[in-house]
Each structure stands twice: as structure tokens, then as C-alpha cells.
Amino acid sequence: MPITKRLEILDLVRHLRQQLNLSQKQFATKLGVSFKTVNRWENRHTVPSPLALKLIEEMLRQMEEPGKRLLNQNFPEAESDYDL
């Protein structure tokens, strides 16, 4: 994964979690991962797995306008799914 895309995804994780007003532990529970995993993503030690990225994408799809904007910025292949 290119470094710029990697950093964007890691920023997305924190931004989404904050938009949902969830702690790292609560966010981890929603994704079915450990608190440590989310913490490592946000501290830029690792990136989400393809499965975790899919779950994050689904969370964005369920949000109103802020989620749609983040979805289109970070998952451009999904852009055609929405009428913006």
C-alpha cells in the first residue's frame, strides 16, 4: 500500500471513530477487533486488514452526509453507489 494511501486510511480510522463518538475500545468492539488493534492503527503502527477496511466502509455507508463524504474520499470505487 503506498505510504500516502496508508496515512489516509489511518487518519480515516480516527476521524470515523470520533465522528461516531466512540472510544477506541467501543470502535474495536463494533469491528470485532481488539482495542490494541485500533490503537495500533491510530498510532500508525499497522493498517487495517482488508476485512476491517470492508467493515469500516460499511460503517461509512450507514452514516449520513459526513459518512458519504469520507466514503467517497477513501473508497472512490464506491462513489457510484451514491447520488451526491
Side-chain angles (χ1 to χ4, degrees):
M1 177 180 295
I3 189 84
T4 54
K5 187 64 175 173
R6 180 176 190 253
L7 295 177
E8 289 172 11
I9 293 296
L10 297 175
D11 289 339
L12 168 68
V13 168
R14 175 173 280 143
H15 189 74
L16 174 60
R17 181 180 64 76
Q18 291 171 342
Q19 283 283 319
L20 295 171
N21 199 30
L22 297 173
S23 68
Q24 287 182 341
K25 186 174 183 178
Q26 291 167 322
F27 190 69
T29 299
K30 278 190 156 298
L31 291 174
V33 299
S34 70
F35 156 79
K36 184 177 178 180
T37 298
V38 172
N39 186 268
R40 289 177 55 88
W41 293 341
E42 290 191 10
N43 288 310
R44 301 176 181 224
H45 295 291
T46 62
V47 296
S49 69
L51 178 58
L53 284 173
K54 190 69 175 164
L55 293 171
I56 290 168
E57 181 181 348
E58 289 304 314
M59 289 174 110
L60 290 169
R61 288 178 184 278
Q62 294 173 10
M63 294 173 67
E64 294 297 319
E65 187 58 36
K68 291 179 184 179
R69 193 170 29 257
L70 289 171
L71 183 68
N72 290 331
Q73 288 171 357
N74 294 281
F75 298 93
E77 65 279 3
E79 188 171 354
S80 61
D81 293 349
Y82 293 105
D83 297 319
L84 296 177

